């Protein structure tokens, strides 16, 4: 009799072991925007015009140890981020996505290419130390050095020979994970700003199409990874002003991207981008309006205020099925910058901002569930979902939409999330928030799952 139990025990143990190994994690870090001149009053951020709000010299604030909402990231902030990731080393971290813009905007313009490469080397060394047994997959941003050969050399420990070849040529590559279904494709989104017939851009499209076709035949799944996301900025009202217009996909490349995602939606199990410095997402629809794919946009490590506002520094860790690539959940980490700076001992305490599943009451990340979440953001009255989304959008810096995000602002977010195509986005913006209000979204009939969610929240609060 006992051996029946014993065999049962072994079976259960084996099943548990297998699911443990299949569930793994990967970090997504982006937009570090390293500012090496921290605290140097004459250079970089900390220039004499640094605090432009103060009129007199002695009103100028000094910068905190971990940086400032008007400046790019100092080394101390980046080091504390790496310590936070190091502390989760036991979590079966499989790889790291590092989606570009490693250097400060100011440096990117002014510094000599060799100096930029040295600074990038400093960051690369730090990440190698932090992830001594994992691979980091870097994507190029527009504020990164352009010397692709040198960068390839710098990252040769992470990039296999095949990947190195296309990287050195065009700044894009794929990671062929032979024993696994999930493949990783890293795009050079800088090419999405080029002209329609640009040779390098055309070459990237051709390569991407070939690779996706092959993976589809082989029944593989893929992640698409890059710096700049397709579509519009959810925090920017309407269309980009001239100064920012060069930091988006051109209409041609945007359409082309959407076309490809629709065509290969059955094997694309995730799209990961940075660039906007905000925490948001995109839903991509098929020809007949069915949600077919999604992109998740991770917030930046730099807290620097842009015309769209500042944010707290963020780090994200995804939970996924290592074989199929199916994304199961993610946890967003953040540093409350003003709190970190105010501590006398000065230890930066990164903490969990939220975990997707419990924050939004959604148990899986699919085109459908994200489509439903986007719809919930449009409810007009007392909208817990929009409040939560809006708080996360700036990594918990601005948390009160009633003060800083009116109906038009909320509508802008909704349109950017659900209309990646520029023409559709423009059309969506014209549909006034009031028109939305008269549709079915106005009277949210409380359904069972919402009641369950609220009960759970109440229980957690208690
Ligand atoms: C970057 O690394 C170089 C060489 O190791 C070092 O001299 C320099 O101080 C580092 N710079 C920063 C800003 O950490
Ligand atoms: C860090 O923050 C967490 C959550 O906000 C808090 O529980 C913890 O006590 C803090 N730790 C330190 C050392 O301040
Ligand atoms: Zn960028």
């Amino acid at each position: 009799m006992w051996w029946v139990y014993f065999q049962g025990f072994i079976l259960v143990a084996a099943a548990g072991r297998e699911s443990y190994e299949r569930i793994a994690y990967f970090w997504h870090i982006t937009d570090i925007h390293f500012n090496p001149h921290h605290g140097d009053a004459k250079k970089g951020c900390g220039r004499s015009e640094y605090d432009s709000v103060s009129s007199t010299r002695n009103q100028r604030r000094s910068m905190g140890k971990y940086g400032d909402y008007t400046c790019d990231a100092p080394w101390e902030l980046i080091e504390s981020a790496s310590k936070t990731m190091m502390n989760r080393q036991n979590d079966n971290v499989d790889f790291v996505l590092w989606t570009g813009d490693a250097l400060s905007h100011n440096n990117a313009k002014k510094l000599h290419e060799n100096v930029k490469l040295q600074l990038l080397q400093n960051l690369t060394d730090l990440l190698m130390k932090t992830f001594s047994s994992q691979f980091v997959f870097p994507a190029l941003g527009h504020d990164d050095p352009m010397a692709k050969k040198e960068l390839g050399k710098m990252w040769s420990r992470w990039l296999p020979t095949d990947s190195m070849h296309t990287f050195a040529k065009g700044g894009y590559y794929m990671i062929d994970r032979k024993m696994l279904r999930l493949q990783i494709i890293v795009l050079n989104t800088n090419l999405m700003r080029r002209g329609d017939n640009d040779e390098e851009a055309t070459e990237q499209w051709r390569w991407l199409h070939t690779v996706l076709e092959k993976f589809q035949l082989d029944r593989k799944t893929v992640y698409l990874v890059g710096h700049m996301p397709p579509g519009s900025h959810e925090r920017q009202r309407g269309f980009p002003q001239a100064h920012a217009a060069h930091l988006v996909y051109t209409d041609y490349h945007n359409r082309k991207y959407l076309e490809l995602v629709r065509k290969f939606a059955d094997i694309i199990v995730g799209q990961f981008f940075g660039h906007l410095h905000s925490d948001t997402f995109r839903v991509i629809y098929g020809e007949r309006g069915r949600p077919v794919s999604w992109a998740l946009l991770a917030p930046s490590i730099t807290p620097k205020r842009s015309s769209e506002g500042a944010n707290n520094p963020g780090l994200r860790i995804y939970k996924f099925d290592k074989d199929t690539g199916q994304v199961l959940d993610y946890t967003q980490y953040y540093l409350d910058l003003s709190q970190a700076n105010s501590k006398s001992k000065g230890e930066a305490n990164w903490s969990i901002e939220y975990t997707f599943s419990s924050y939004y009451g959604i148990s899986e990340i699919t085109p459908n569930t994200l489509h439903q979440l986007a719809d919930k953001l449009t409810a007009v009255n007392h909208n817990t979902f929009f409040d939560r989304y809006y708080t996360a959008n700036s990594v918990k810096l601005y948390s009160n939409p009633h003060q800083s995000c009116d109906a038009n602002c909320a509508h802008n977010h909704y349109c950017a999330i659900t209309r990646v195509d520029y023409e559709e986005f423009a059309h969506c913006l014209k549909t006034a928030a009031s028109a939305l209000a008269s549709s079915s979204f106005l009277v949210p009939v409380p359904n069972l799952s919402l009641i369950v969610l609220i009960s759970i929240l109440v229980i957690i609060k208690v």
Side-chain angles (χ1 to χ4, degrees):
M1 194 58 196
W2 62 271
W3 48 267
V4 176
Y5 290 113
F6 183 66
Q7 282 186 339
F9 173 74
I10 288 181
L11 274 179
V12 170
R17 174 120 193 100
E18 185 182 323
S19 66
Y20 171 71
E21 281 180 346
R22 274 186 68 162
I23 290 178
Y25 296 83
F26 68 88
W27 285 100
H28 182 185
I29 55 177
T30 192
D31 296 83
I32 296 176
H33 287 292
F34 173 32
N35 165 27
H37 301 306
H38 182 60
D40 182 338
K42 294 199 190 76
K43 286 185 195 160
C45 199
R47 291 161 300 179
S48 48
E49 74 265 34
Y50 152 60
D51 194 350
S52 53
V53 190
S54 312
S55 50
T56 62
R57 191 167 273 274
N58 52 16
Q59 269 182 329
R60 270 180 212 132
R61 295 165 295 146
S62 61
M63 220 181 299
K65 178 176 176 191
Y66 296 103
D68 190 284
Y69 292 112
T70 61
C71 289
D72 273 330
W75 186 254
E76 287 81 357
L77 174 63
I78 302 163
E79 216 172 19
S80 77
S82 98
K83 260 190 210 146
T84 303
M85 295 189 284
M86 187 95 92
N87 290 340
R88 287 199 61 161
Q89 278 300 301
N90 295 331
D91 284 351
N92 198 19
V93 170
D94 201 36
F95 57 83
V96 180
L97 303 179
W98 178 21
T99 55
D101 273 7
L103 303 183
S104 167
H105 303 288
N106 298 331
N107 301 338
K109 277 186 225 120
K110 287 183 209 135
L111 294 182
H112 190 271
E113 190 79 359
N114 285 339
V115 181
K116 286 196 261 177
L117 284 170
Q118 175 56 53
L119 295 174
L120 202 60
Q121 184 71 57
N122 292 41
L123 293 170
T124 300
D125 292 346
L126 181 68
L127 288 175
M128 285 210 185
K129 221 168 52 188
T130 310
F131 299 105
S132 52
S133 56
Q134 285 95 357
F135 286 91
V136 176
F137 302 130
L140 289 178
H142 44 87
D143 283 346
D144 292 322
M146 295 297 149
K148 294 195 282 286
K149 280 222 176 73
E150 279 77 2
L151 292 179
K153 238 180 269 162
M154 192 185 294
W155 295 332
S156 60
R157 223 197 78 197
W158 296 328
L159 304 185
T161 317
D162 290 352
S163 314
M164 192 78 86
H165 180 68
T166 56
F167 181 83
K169 211 173 63 171
Y172 49 85
Y173 61 93
M174 58 128 168
I175 300 294
D176 193 355
R177 295 149 54 91
K178 293 201 168 54
M179 305 304 289
L180 300 168
R181 280 182 70 197
L182 173 67
Q183 310 297 314
I184 297 166
I185 296 178
V186 178
L187 298 171
N188 178 2
T189 57
N190 293 331
L191 300 177
M192 305 299 188
R193 303 180 293 160
R194 301 271 184 89
D196 297 3
N197 299 315
D198 178 84
E199 212 168 295
E200 276 185 285
T202 307
E203 189 51 47
Q204 174 169 249
W205 285 125
R206 203 178 299 139
W207 170 83
L208 180 58
H209 198 273
T210 311
V211 167
L212 286 171
E213 231 165 19
K214 182 179 173 303
F215 286 154
Q216 198 171 43
L217 271 177
D218 296 346
R219 299 183 175 282
K220 300 282 190 184
T221 58
V222 301
Y223 285 167
L224 296 179
V225 181
H227 175 67
M228 211 170 40
S232 307
H233 194 331
E234 78 286 345
R235 284 194 280 172
Q236 212 164 52
R237 299 295 182 88
F239 278 98
Q241 306 300 308
H243 72 274
H246 65 292
L247 291 181
V248 295
Y249 290 30
T250 65
D251 187 47
Y252 172 82
H253 291 303
N254 202 49
R255 281 170 197 270
K256 197 118 176 126
Y257 184 84
L258 284 172
E259 200 180 290
L260 221 66
V261 167
R262 288 186 181 122
K263 184 166 178 193
F264 295 99
D266 59 329
I267 62 163
I268 298 171
V269 291
Q271 300 168 58
F272 304 92
F273 297 100
H275 177 59
L276 299 184
H277 299 195
S278 56
D279 177 338
T280 181
F281 62 101
R282 301 289 179 263
V283 183
I284 293 171
Y285 297 84
E287 299 305 341
R288 266 172 285 147
R290 192 172 57 90
V292 294
S293 198
W294 55 258
L296 286 168
L297 279 53
S300 57
I301 287 181
T302 183
K304 187 180 177 175
R305 186 184 309 279
S306 66
S307 49
E308 286 77 43
N311 56 280
N312 277 313
L315 291 170
R316 183 175 288 190
I317 188 166
Y318 282 96
K319 180 181 178 186
F320 75 120
D321 181 316
K322 198 169 154 177
D323 179 44
T324 64
Q326 191 199 339
V327 172
L328 304 167
D329 207 351
Y330 70 78
T331 295
Q332 182 64 45
Y333 279 79
Y334 85 117
L335 182 69
D336 184 327
L337 187 60
S338 38
Q339 199 187 57
N341 282 333
S342 71
K343 291 226 174 95
S344 54
K345 280 274 187 306
E347 190 59 25
N349 184 18
W350 289 73
S351 48
I352 291 179
E353 184 195 351
Y354 70 93
T355 292
F356 180 85
S357 56
S358 50
Y359 194 61
Y360 290 118
I362 292 173
S363 61
E364 51 175 5
I365 297 180
T366 68
N368 250 322
T369 57
L370 288 178
H371 160 73
Q372 285 160 8
L373 175 60
D375 261 4
K376 284 178 186 156
L377 301 182
T378 61
V380 175
N381 294 318
H382 193 69
N383 191 336
T384 359
F385 286 101
F386 188 76
D387 289 0
R388 282 171 179 235
Y389 162 80
Y390 186 76
T391 303
N393 188 239
S394 63
V395 199
K396 235 177 164 173
L397 184 59
Y398 312 117
S399 57
N400 192 348
H402 312 292
Q403 277 172 7
S404 49
C405 191
D406 60 11
N408 277 329
C409 158
H411 190 58
N412 205 89
H413 279 267
Y414 172 76
C415 291
I417 291 168
T418 57
R419 310 289 195 274
V420 176
D421 178 85
Y422 292 140
E423 206 177 300
E424 289 177 22
F425 176 65
H427 186 75
C428 179
L429 287 183
K430 277 190 218 138
T431 320
S434 60
L436 265 177
S438 66
S439 80
S440 58
F441 304 127
L442 180 61
V443 201
V445 183
N447 60 22
L448 196 59
S449 62
L450 196 62
I451 292 173
V452 171
L453 171 68
I454 290 169
S455 327
I456 291 171
L457 291 175
V458 168
I459 290 166
I460 290 172
K461 271 263 159 65
V462 172

